[in-house]
Amino acid sequence: MILVLEPNTSPESTDYKILIGQLDRLPGIKHRVHREVGTEVTLTEIYLIGNTGALTVEQMQVLPCVEKVVRVSEAYRVLGRHKQGDDRPSSFEYNGVRFGQDSLQVFAGLCAVDSPESVEGMMKALKSHGQVCTRMGAYKPRTSPYAFQGFGAKCLPYVFELAGKYGIRVIAMEITHESHVDEIREALHETGNPTGVMLQIGTRNTQNFELLKLVGRQQELPVLIKRGFGITLDESLNAAEYLATEGNRKVVFCLRGMKTNMGDPHRNFVDFSHVPVVKRLTRMPVCIDPSHSVGTRAAAPDGLLDIFHVVAQGVIAGANMVLVDFHPTPAQALVDGPQALLLSELPYFLDDVALARETYVKRTELARRMKAAA
Ligand code: PEP
Ligand code: MN
């Protein structure tokens, strides 16, 4: 059970102290307080854990400071959508960019940072097409220990400075170890915070629970968690829940395809039909990664790349973020060059995304008409 308190409830207030005193006296029930400090309002939620079946919503509703009571019926207690009275937010803002189940952001960028020239070329193209988000891999988890592992902390200062120069507000960047989080925060600080970072948990680390807990304990940087490529959707959503139970609610869930030869000739079996499913089960914005799903630049006879086709499928189904590999000179890319889109393709890619989004918005209007007529 979750008690949503009135906005700006002070932990010092008498009413709050009375509330906590009453909760302390509930037999067999523990509580955990989550406070979200925003620029204008501070929101407080209290999670009641234990024998909550014995409590009634009415009984909790009359306690001091309580605005709303949500009975948790599903597995994903913090990030899930619960049946009774759950209108908790399904969006957040970070560094001036909105991430929600109703918005759409494109993160086109390098799979791996390989040189300042590639980074600058990429960011310049993004700026000229009005983009404020990108992806930049500094720490690369590779199948072979002999493969290029990413430039790590060494490249962060120039990546962040160039991001500032070209007005990039959020960079999605994978981390595989807790030291990477410290290195990123340090480099952001040392360069004067010219941009923001969304920490990416890759598919190989979806169930690295200690890493999830660590990343969840910091609330400064939002997190993009990828679906595990060989586990169920439920297992991946529980992984996201690890981040949230530790305190970080700024979580985006990314579909990136499943590892099975049933998806051949694609690199992974594209799973974007799960976009509406994740939105129904949880309040997380949903990202799609067409590059790591499809893995090639193959094109259909209609002239559209398979990557364009799956992006359209995901966006038309309501995806909220697209994470996609681009490279100024794919032949020289150190990681995943064969799946990278070209800078000359960027405006067409963005146009195609906009077409699909427009159709999605029209489809939601259709749904409203259908409901009104029922
Ligand atoms: C990536 O986005 O660079 C990446 C390695 O993706 P995934 O974790 O989905 O394989
Ligand atoms: Mn890659």
Side-chain angles (χ1 to χ4, degrees):
M1 185 176 267
I2 304 167
L3 309 182
V4 181
L5 305 193
E6 286 151 6
N8 296 323
T9 294
S10 162
E12 304 306 325
S13 69
T14 313
D15 276 356
Y16 181 82
K17 286 178 184 156
I18 295 172
L19 168 68
I20 296 298
Q22 301 210 15
L23 297 181
D24 282 341
R25 285 193 292 278
L26 292 174
I29 304 237
K30 284 200 179 122
H31 64 263
R32 183 148 91 186
V33 179
H34 177 84
R35 203 163 277 121
E36 196 86 26
V37 183
T39 42
E40 277 152 35
V41 284
T42 294
L43 298 173
T44 311
E45 290 177 356
I46 301 184
Y47 288 78
L48 304 184
I49 303 148
N51 183 26
T52 55
L55 307 173
T56 66
V57 170
E58 292 72 26
Q59 172 192 2
M60 305 313 287
Q61 185 76 64
V62 295
L63 295 178
C65 307
V66 173
E67 185 178 76
K68 199 168 43 188
V69 179
V70 180
R71 190 175 289 283
V72 175
S73 49
E74 311 288 338
Y76 323 115
R77 294 184 187 190
V78 183
L79 293 172
R81 263 182 198 285
H82 305 299
K83 287 187 185 76
Q84 286 174 14
D86 191 2
D87 54 2
R88 292 175 299 156
S90 56
S91 67
F92 63 87
E93 206 180 283
Y94 172 63
N95 210 26
V97 182
R98 181 187 161 83
F99 297 90
Q101 286 197 338
D102 55 359
S103 57
L104 176 62
Q105 306 296 340
V106 175
F107 280 60
L110 306 181
C111 178
V113 170
D114 45 29
S115 70
E117 293 72 34
S118 301
V119 174
E120 181 149 24
M122 186 69 233
M123 290 184 178
K124 207 170 171 174
L126 290 169
K127 184 178 166 67
S128 70
H129 292 102
Q131 298 300 298
V132 296
C133 299
T134 189
R135 57 160 294 148
M136 290 282 150
Y139 308 94
K140 299 305 300 176
R142 304 305 302 282
T143 304
S144 162
Y146 309 115
F148 171 65
Q149 305 283 313
F151 282 123
K154 233 174 33 189
C155 68
L156 299 181
Y158 71 76
V159 169
F160 294 161
E161 275 159 11
L162 286 166
K165 179 174 170 186
Y166 291 102
I168 299 293
R169 306 207 57 89
V170 187
I171 302 174
M173 184 175 275
E174 179 164 0
I175 49 114
T176 61
H177 188 268
E178 69 174 283
S179 59
H180 302 160
V181 184
D182 297 334
E183 288 170 4
I184 287 171
R185 287 163 113 173
E186 216 174 286
L188 278 173
H189 181 74
E190 275 167 16
T191 51
N193 293 305
T195 187
V197 171
M198 178 178 272
L199 300 174
Q200 186 177 321
I201 305 282
T203 195
R204 291 157 190 81
N205 275 311
T206 306
Q207 285 189 312
N208 183 340
F209 300 117
E210 295 311 313
L211 183 67
L212 296 175
K213 286 190 226 167
L214 181 115
V215 168
R217 277 200 285 275
Q218 62 81 42
Q219 292 185 22
E220 180 190 341
L221 307 175
V223 186
L224 177 68
I225 180 166
K226 290 209 171 180
R227 178 188 193 159
F229 54 27
I231 57 176
T232 63
L233 182 63
D234 174 59
E235 286 163 335
S236 291
L237 295 179
N238 269 301
E241 189 74 6
Y242 265 89
L243 297 162
T245 55
E246 293 294 330
N248 196 334
R249 307 286 182 79
K250 295 188 173 116
V251 182
V252 179
F253 188 80
C254 182
L255 297 167
R256 50 82 70 211
M258 304 300 295
K259 202 174 194 62
T260 159
N261 60 2
M262 301 299 166
D264 291 356
H266 288 164
R267 181 169 167 183
N268 287 282
F269 196 82
V270 182
D271 55 350
F272 299 168
S273 56
H274 275 166
V275 167
V277 178
V278 178
K279 289 172 81 171
R280 176 171 76 240
L281 295 174
T282 78
R283 295 175 294 114
M284 287 185 279
V286 182
C287 176
I288 50 170
D289 176 344
S291 306
H292 293 84
S293 310
V294 169
T296 80
R297 287 182 45 83
D302 56 22
L304 291 160
L305 299 181
D306 289 11
I307 289 179
F308 277 54
H309 275 298
V310 300
V311 168
Q313 288 158 17
V315 171
I316 221 167
N320 308 112
M321 177 170 156
V322 181
L323 185 75
V324 54
D325 289 2
F326 271 77
H327 199 285
T329 45
Q332 282 157 27
L334 295 177
V335 184
D336 284 348
Q339 71 191 22
L341 300 180
L342 314 174
L343 296 190
S344 59
E345 291 165 337
L346 181 60
Y348 303 100
F349 180 82
L350 295 171
D351 280 356
D352 198 27
V353 168
L355 282 173
R357 177 70 182 174
E358 221 177 284
T359 305
Y360 169 70
V361 171
K362 285 185 185 153
R363 294 177 68 228
T364 60
E365 285 156 13
L366 175 146
R368 268 192 292 277
R369 288 203 307 278
M370 194 157 76
K371 197 171 169 190

